[in-house]
Structure formats: C-alpha cells, structure tokens
Amino acid sequence: MSQISPDQIDNTQVDADVEWEIAPGLTPYDDAVARMEDRANAIAAGTAKELVWLVEHPALYTAGTSARREDLIDPDRFPVFDTRRGGQYTYHGPGQRVVYVMLDLNRRGRDVRAFVQKLETWVIATLDQFNIHGEIRDGRVGVWVPRPEKPALPDGSMREDKIAAIGIRLRKWVSFHGISINVDPDLGHFDGIVPCGIQGHGVTSLVDLGLPVTMEDLDVALRVTFDQTFGA
C-alpha cells in the first residue's frame, strides 16, 4: 500500500488517529470486502487505527440491501456482487475512486443519519475544491450536479446527474464500505443497471464536466477536506 505523499498534505491538519492508504492498480472486490471486515473488527477491538482506504476496482456491479432485481438490466455484462451495505445497485470500475471509510462511531457519535450527512458534506467540500457545486436531494442518497444545459425531464424538472454514491455498513458501530466518486470512468458502464434505483436522472464525472482532474488530484482534495468535515 502506498501512503499519500507528505508533500501533498498540510501535515498540521493530519489526524494521527486515522490511517490513509492508496491501493495500487485494481483491487478485486472480494479482497476489498475481506480486508474491510478484518479491519472493522480490529478497530472495534481496539487493536487497529481507523482507516480511509482509497481503491479502484475492475468493472463490476454491486447490490445493496435494497437492490431490486429488475434494476439489474444487463446481468451478464459484468460480475455482480451481493453486499450487505445499504443502498441498491451501483457500478464500480476503473476511473472511479472508491473511498472505503472505516471509522469508529463509538467515539464519533452513534448517529447513522448524521454520519451519512457528514459523508455527503465531505464529498461536497471535495468537489468544491474543483469549483463543482454538488447538492443532496431528499430521498436520493448521494451527491448530484444540476445540468441546466441538458434537456429537462418529461415533467419539466431540471436534469441532475449523480457524481458520487454512498453506501455504508456498520459492525459494532464501526463503519465500512463508503463512497465512490466518478473521476473518469466509462459512463456507458452504468447503462447495465438503474443506478441506486433512480430513473430519469443520469450520471456524470469530473472529466465529463470538463475538468482535467486526475485521481491524484482527487485524493489530495479528499485528504484536505476530511479534517475540515470530521475534525482532527
């Protein structure tokens, strides 16, 4: 595992109780789940620090606890993994930063709703580093970008595209799974599912929005805004 370069981070902001790792290459999904579960157990036992783990996966779909089989449009396109995180169907693949967040809510407050809201706030603050205005919507978990330049929906409402998905699981009040942010994935790969069960609206990425952002750029922004959101 490679650590984020110290010269990319203002070390006065670093929370020494939270480790950060970047996985090289593409991480198999089963391997990621196994590692998250082991780490969450160790955090709960007090034998490991909290961890934010940044990965990319090969192309795949995951099904959360609320997934509806009819939302899996093309089941043979990519491997499909059932997972016990919250949410519905999501896509992971190259060009998408997956942020696995293993934090101890025993010391951060046992409030799941507030924790999800903090994850949303973190994503919005990160996007703001690139002058992207992300928004949240009642009944639609994740972070959305208004697209007034695109044709309106049939009911006349503005088109909005999802740029980040959120789905977590808790074990002994330690979180795992987390968030995914689209940097430059193949957006056509989302066509095999109804992302998060939401019809009508689409998906976007930082590059799709016209920004030449790299994965490394996003990683630095995530680190800078983490302490602003969760507190050092």
Side-chain angles (χ1 to χ4, degrees):
M1 299 296 172
S2 61
Q3 301 293 327
I4 291 178
S5 173
D7 61 4
Q8 295 176 306
I9 303 295
D10 177 357
N11 285 318
T12 62
Q13 293 182 331
V14 171
D15 184 344
D17 291 330
V18 181
E19 293 183 354
W20 282 69
E21 293 183 0
I22 304 174
L26 300 178
T27 302
Y29 189 75
D30 282 340
D31 292 353
V33 172
R35 185 174 185 222
M36 281 192 290
E37 290 183 345
D38 287 346
R39 184 62 173 244
N41 287 335
I43 293 169
T47 58
K49 290 184 177 182
E50 296 173 303
L51 174 66
V52 176
W53 187 30
L54 309 178
V55 310
E56 283 182 86
H57 288 303
L60 58 91
Y61 297 129
T62 66
T65 54
S66 302
R68 300 180 301 234
R69 289 301 172 187
E70 62 268 26
D71 288 342
L72 182 59
I73 298 169
D74 190 353
D76 299 321
R77 187 170 190 179
F78 298 123
V80 181
F81 294 87
D82 287 320
T83 177
R84 286 175 283 179
R85 60 151 176 82
Q88 302 187 35
Y89 281 104
T90 59
Y91 165 77
H92 294 317
Q96 181 191 73
R97 176 53 86 207
V98 180
V99 186
Y100 288 132
V101 184
M102 287 152 272
L103 298 179
D104 187 359
L105 271 63
N106 289 292
R107 74 181 186 90
R108 294 179 178 271
R110 293 186 176 188
D111 188 329
V112 178
R113 183 181 296 273
F115 180 62
V116 171
Q117 289 173 342
K118 279 198 170 186
L119 293 176
E120 293 171 335
T121 299
W122 182 27
V123 173
I124 290 170
T126 299
L127 295 175
D128 189 59
Q129 299 286 304
F130 306 104
N131 295 316
I132 294 296
H133 180 65
E135 299 179 357
I136 57 174
R137 293 288 180 265
D138 289 340
R140 285 195 260 143
V141 175
V143 178
W144 300 80
V145 177
R147 305 300 300 271
E149 74 279 12
K150 290 190 173 184
L153 295 176
D155 64 1
S157 60
M158 183 186 301
R159 166 80 175 267
E160 296 175 340
D161 288 346
K162 192 169 192 174
I163 195 167
I166 297 175
I168 64 166
R169 186 179 169 197
L170 296 177
R171 175 175 294 168
K172 297 180 180 178
W173 288 101
V174 175
S175 68
F176 53 114
H177 295 281
I179 65 180
S180 59
I181 301 175
N182 297 328
V183 178
D184 189 21
D186 185 336
L187 296 178
H189 289 177
F190 287 88
D191 294 343
I193 58 172
V194 177
C196 300
I198 297 168
Q199 300 274 6
H201 297 288
V203 249
T204 190
S205 68
L206 288 164
V207 171
D208 180 57
L209 292 170
L211 297 170
V213 176
T214 67
M215 199 68 73
E216 291 75 20
D217 294 332
L218 179 67
D219 292 345
V220 172
L222 283 164
R223 189 65 191 88
V224 168
T225 55
F226 179 84
D227 287 333
Q228 296 172 1
T229 305
F230 288 92

mmCIF file of all heavy atoms in Angstrom, residues 53-76:
data_model
loop_
_atom_site.group_PDB
_atom_site.id
_atom_site.type_symbol
_atom_site.label_atom_id
_atom_site.label_comp_id
_atom_site.label_asym_id
_atom_site.label_seq_id
_atom_site.Cartn_x
_atom_site.Cartn_y
_atom_site.Cartn_z
ATOM 1 N N TRP A 53 -9.365 4.078 3.076
ATOM 2 C CA TRP A 53 -8.662 3.269 2.086
ATOM 3 C C TRP A 53 -9.179 3.632 0.698
ATOM 4 O O TRP A 53 -10.376 3.499 0.432
ATOM 5 C CB TRP A 53 -8.907 1.790 2.399
ATOM 6 C CG TRP A 53 -8.126 0.818 1.584
ATOM 7 C CD1 TRP A 53 -6.897 0.988 1.027
ATOM 8 C CD2 TRP A 53 -8.521 -0.520 1.256
ATOM 9 N NE1 TRP A 53 -6.497 -0.151 0.376
ATOM 10 C CE2 TRP A 53 -7.474 -1.087 0.502
ATOM 11 C CE3 TRP A 53 -9.655 -1.285 1.531
ATOM 12 C CZ2 TRP A 53 -7.530 -2.390 0.006
ATOM 13 C CZ3 TRP A 53 -9.715 -2.584 1.046
ATOM 14 C CH2 TRP A 53 -8.658 -3.128 0.297
ATOM 15 N N LEU A 54 -8.295 4.102 -0.158
ATOM 16 C CA LEU A 54 -8.651 4.568 -1.493
ATOM 17 C C LEU A 54 -8.297 3.496 -2.517
ATOM 18 O O LEU A 54 -7.128 3.101 -2.629
ATOM 19 C CB LEU A 54 -7.906 5.867 -1.814
ATOM 20 C CG LEU A 54 -8.001 6.976 -0.755
ATOM 21 C CD1 LEU A 54 -7.178 8.183 -1.188
ATOM 22 C CD2 LEU A 54 -9.435 7.378 -0.515
ATOM 23 N N VAL A 55 -9.292 3.042 -3.279
ATOM 24 C CA VAL A 55 -9.065 1.955 -4.233
ATOM 25 C C VAL A 55 -9.737 2.259 -5.567
ATOM 26 O O VAL A 55 -10.569 3.152 -5.685
ATOM 27 C CB VAL A 55 -9.586 0.600 -3.691
ATOM 28 C CG1 VAL A 55 -9.082 0.335 -2.288
ATOM 29 C CG2 VAL A 55 -11.105 0.523 -3.739
ATOM 30 N N GLU A 56 -9.362 1.467 -6.574
ATOM 31 C CA GLU A 56 -10.111 1.334 -7.815
ATOM 32 C C GLU A 56 -10.410 -0.147 -7.999
ATOM 33 O O GLU A 56 -9.592 -1.004 -7.619
ATOM 34 C CB GLU A 56 -9.313 1.827 -9.024
ATOM 35 C CG GLU A 56 -9.229 3.310 -9.194
ATOM 36 C CD GLU A 56 -8.457 3.691 -10.449
ATOM 37 O OE1 GLU A 56 -9.063 3.757 -11.535
ATOM 38 O OE2 GLU A 56 -7.236 3.911 -10.328
ATOM 39 N N HIS A 57 -11.564 -0.450 -8.570
ATOM 40 C CA HIS A 57 -11.942 -1.830 -8.836
ATOM 41 C C HIS A 57 -11.993 -2.093 -10.338
ATOM 42 O O HIS A 57 -12.195 -1.163 -11.135
ATOM 43 C CB HIS A 57 -13.334 -2.126 -8.254
ATOM 44 C CG HIS A 57 -13.370 -2.208 -6.764
ATOM 45 N ND1 HIS A 57 -12.587 -3.076 -6.030
ATOM 46 C CD2 HIS A 57 -14.117 -1.533 -5.837
ATOM 47 C CE1 HIS A 57 -12.842 -2.934 -4.741
ATOM 48 N NE2 HIS A 57 -13.764 -1.997 -4.599
ATOM 49 N N PRO A 58 -11.859 -3.352 -10.739
ATOM 50 C CA PRO A 58 -12.230 -3.705 -12.106
ATOM 51 C C PRO A 58 -13.734 -3.499 -12.277
ATOM 52 O O PRO A 58 -14.462 -3.380 -11.286
ATOM 53 C CB PRO A 58 -11.835 -5.177 -12.216
ATOM 54 C CG PRO A 58 -11.805 -5.676 -10.803
ATOM 55 C CD PRO A 58 -11.406 -4.514 -9.950
ATOM 56 N N ALA A 59 -14.204 -3.466 -13.508
ATOM 57 C CA ALA A 59 -15.622 -3.192 -13.757
ATOM 58 C C ALA A 59 -16.507 -4.259 -13.126
ATOM 59 O O ALA A 59 -16.312 -5.466 -13.350
ATOM 60 C CB ALA A 59 -15.879 -3.126 -15.263
ATOM 61 N N LEU A 60 -17.487 -3.820 -12.326
ATOM 62 C CA LEU A 60 -18.395 -4.738 -11.634
ATOM 63 C C LEU A 60 -19.614 -3.980 -11.153
ATOM 64 O O LEU A 60 -19.631 -2.752 -11.097
ATOM 65 C CB LEU A 60 -17.671 -5.405 -10.453
ATOM 66 C CG LEU A 60 -17.076 -4.476 -9.371
ATOM 67 C CD1 LEU A 60 -18.072 -4.224 -8.243
ATOM 68 C CD2 LEU A 60 -15.790 -5.040 -8.821
ATOM 69 N N TYR A 61 -20.650 -4.735 -10.807
ATOM 70 C CA TYR A 61 -21.841 -4.173 -10.177
ATOM 71 C C TYR A 61 -21.954 -4.736 -8.769
ATOM 72 O O TYR A 61 -21.576 -5.884 -8.502
ATOM 73 C CB TYR A 61 -23.108 -4.527 -10.962
ATOM 74 C CG TYR A 61 -23.153 -3.976 -12.365
ATOM 75 C CD1 TYR A 61 -23.437 -4.801 -13.455
ATOM 76 C CD2 TYR A 61 -22.930 -2.623 -12.622
ATOM 77 C CE1 TYR A 61 -23.484 -4.303 -14.747
ATOM 78 C CE2 TYR A 61 -22.975 -2.114 -13.906
ATOM 79 C CZ TYR A 61 -23.250 -2.963 -14.966
ATOM 80 O OH TYR A 61 -23.288 -2.459 -16.240
ATOM 81 N N THR A 62 -22.471 -3.929 -7.852
ATOM 82 C CA THR A 62 -22.749 -4.410 -6.503
ATOM 83 C C THR A 62 -24.221 -4.176 -6.177
ATOM 84 O O THR A 62 -24.818 -3.203 -6.634
ATOM 85 C CB THR A 62 -21.886 -3.703 -5.444
ATOM 86 O OG1 THR A 62 -22.245 -2.314 -5.373
ATOM 87 C CG2 THR A 62 -20.412 -3.829 -5.775
ATOM 88 N N ALA A 63 -24.773 -5.076 -5.389
ATOM 89 C CA ALA A 63 -26.176 -4.990 -4.983
ATOM 90 C C ALA A 63 -26.244 -4.754 -3.486
ATOM 91 O O ALA A 63 -25.751 -5.571 -2.699
ATOM 92 C CB ALA A 63 -26.922 -6.269 -5.348
ATOM 93 N N GLY A 64 -26.836 -3.633 -3.087
ATOM 94 C CA GLY A 64 -27.017 -3.343 -1.677
ATOM 95 C C GLY A 64 -28.249 -4.045 -1.123
ATOM 96 O O GLY A 64 -28.945 -4.792 -1.829
ATOM 97 N N THR A 65 -28.535 -3.780 0.124
ATOM 98 C CA THR A 65 -29.629 -4.493 0.799
ATOM 99 C C THR A 65 -31.000 -4.134 0.251
ATOM 100 O O THR A 65 -31.956 -4.874 0.453
ATOM 101 C CB THR A 65 -29.591 -4.192 2.310
ATOM 102 O OG1 THR A 65 -29.604 -2.761 2.511
ATOM 103 C CG2 THR A 65 -28.328 -4.765 2.952
ATOM 104 N N SER A 66 -31.113 -2.995 -0.452
ATOM 105 C CA SER A 66 -32.405 -2.584 -1.012
ATOM 106 C C SER A 66 -32.495 -2.812 -2.518
ATOM 107 O O SER A 66 -33.429 -2.328 -3.170
ATOM 108 C CB SER A 66 -32.650 -1.089 -0.717
ATOM 109 O OG SER A 66 -32.617 -0.827 0.674
ATOM 110 N N ALA A 67 -31.537 -3.545 -3.093
ATOM 111 C CA ALA A 67 -31.494 -3.730 -4.546
ATOM 112 C C ALA A 67 -32.716 -4.492 -5.051
ATOM 113 O O ALA A 67 -33.144 -5.480 -4.452
ATOM 114 C CB ALA A 67 -30.221 -4.452 -4.945
ATOM 115 N N ARG A 68 -33.275 -4.027 -6.174
ATOM 116 C CA ARG A 68 -34.389 -4.696 -6.838
ATOM 117 C C ARG A 68 -33.868 -5.364 -8.100
ATOM 118 O O ARG A 68 -33.211 -4.717 -8.919
ATOM 119 C CB ARG A 68 -35.483 -3.680 -7.200
ATOM 120 C CG ARG A 68 -36.063 -2.941 -6.006
ATOM 121 C CD ARG A 68 -37.137 -1.952 -6.449
ATOM 122 N NE ARG A 68 -36.596 -0.970 -7.378
ATOM 123 C CZ ARG A 68 -36.691 0.348 -7.206
ATOM 124 N NH1 ARG A 68 -37.294 0.835 -6.138
ATOM 125 N NH2 ARG A 68 -36.186 1.181 -8.099
ATOM 126 N N ARG A 69 -34.177 -6.640 -8.263
ATOM 127 C CA ARG A 69 -33.609 -7.395 -9.381
ATOM 128 C C ARG A 69 -33.961 -6.791 -10.728
ATOM 129 O O ARG A 69 -33.188 -6.887 -11.683
ATOM 130 C CB ARG A 69 -34.078 -8.862 -9.314
ATOM 131 C CG ARG A 69 -33.459 -9.650 -8.170
ATOM 132 C CD ARG A 69 -31.937 -9.680 -8.269
ATOM 133 N NE ARG A 69 -31.316 -10.276 -7.092
ATOM 134 C CZ ARG A 69 -30.010 -10.292 -6.882
ATOM 135 N NH1 ARG A 69 -29.196 -9.731 -7.740
ATOM 136 N NH2 ARG A 69 -29.515 -10.844 -5.790
ATOM 137 N N GLU A 70 -35.108 -6.134 -10.828
ATOM 138 C CA GLU A 70 -35.484 -5.524 -12.103
ATOM 139 C C GLU A 70 -34.581 -4.345 -12.463
ATOM 140 O O GLU A 70 -34.566 -3.893 -13.626
ATOM 141 C CB GLU A 70 -36.952 -5.070 -12.080
ATOM 142 C CG GLU A 70 -37.289 -4.019 -11.052
ATOM 143 C CD GLU A 70 -37.770 -4.582 -9.723
ATOM 144 O OE1 GLU A 70 -37.387 -5.737 -9.412
ATOM 145 O OE2 GLU A 70 -38.504 -3.872 -9.013
ATOM 146 N N ASP A 71 -33.818 -3.835 -11.498
ATOM 147 C CA ASP A 71 -32.904 -2.732 -11.778
ATOM 148 C C ASP A 71 -31.557 -3.216 -12.316
ATOM 149 O O ASP A 71 -30.708 -2.391 -12.671
ATOM 150 C CB ASP A 71 -32.675 -1.897 -10.522
ATOM 151 C CG ASP A 71 -33.897 -1.064 -10.144
ATOM 152 O OD1 ASP A 71 -34.762 -0.868 -11.015
ATOM 153 O OD2 ASP A 71 -33.974 -0.620 -8.979
ATOM 154 N N LEU A 72 -31.371 -4.537 -12.367
ATOM 155 C CA LEU A 72 -30.174 -5.104 -12.991
ATOM 156 C C LEU A 72 -30.518 -5.396 -14.446
ATOM 157 O O LEU A 72 -31.012 -6.473 -14.792
ATOM 158 C CB LEU A 72 -29.733 -6.366 -12.254
ATOM 159 C CG LEU A 72 -28.461 -7.052 -12.762
ATOM 160 C CD1 LEU A 72 -27.258 -6.112 -12.703
ATOM 161 C CD2 LEU A 72 -28.188 -8.320 -11.937
ATOM 162 N N ILE A 73 -30.280 -4.438 -15.313
ATOM 163 C CA ILE A 73 -30.739 -4.503 -16.698
ATOM 164 C C ILE A 73 -29.936 -5.496 -17.518
ATOM 165 O O ILE A 73 -30.476 -6.217 -18.360
ATOM 166 C CB ILE A 73 -30.665 -3.092 -17.324
ATOM 167 C CG1 ILE A 73 -31.587 -2.132 -16.567
ATOM 168 C CG2 ILE A 73 -31.043 -3.133 -18.805
ATOM 169 C CD1 ILE A 73 -31.377 -0.677 -16.937
ATOM 170 N N ASP A 74 -28.632 -5.547 -17.292
ATOM 171 C CA ASP A 74 -27.745 -6.418 -18.071
ATOM 172 C C ASP A 74 -26.913 -7.271 -17.123
ATOM 173 O O ASP A 74 -25.751 -6.971 -16.855
ATOM 174 C CB ASP A 74 -26.851 -5.555 -18.963
ATOM 175 C CG ASP A 74 -26.074 -6.376 -19.981
ATOM 176 O OD1 ASP A 74 -26.129 -7.618 -19.910
ATOM 177 O OD2 ASP A 74 -25.400 -5.769 -20.847
ATOM 178 N N PRO A 75 -27.486 -8.359 -16.597
ATOM 179 C CA PRO A 75 -26.804 -9.132 -15.558
ATOM 180 C C PRO A 75 -25.558 -9.862 -16.038
ATOM 181 O O PRO A 75 -24.751 -10.300 -15.216
ATOM 182 C CB PRO A 75 -27.881 -10.133 -15.101
ATOM 183 C CG PRO A 75 -28.813 -10.236 -16.260
ATOM 184 C CD PRO A 75 -28.827 -8.885 -16.899
ATOM 185 N N ASP A 76 -25.384 -9.998 -17.348
ATOM 186 C CA ASP A 76 -24.229 -10.733 -17.870
ATOM 187 C C ASP A 76 -23.091 -9.819 -18.297
ATOM 188 O O ASP A 76 -22.056 -10.292 -18.786
ATOM 189 C CB ASP A 76 -24.658 -11.599 -19.067
ATOM 190 C CG ASP A 76 -25.711 -12.626 -18.683
ATOM 191 O OD1 ASP A 76 -25.602 -13.191 -17.576
ATOM 192 O OD2 ASP A 76 -26.639 -12.852 -19.482
#
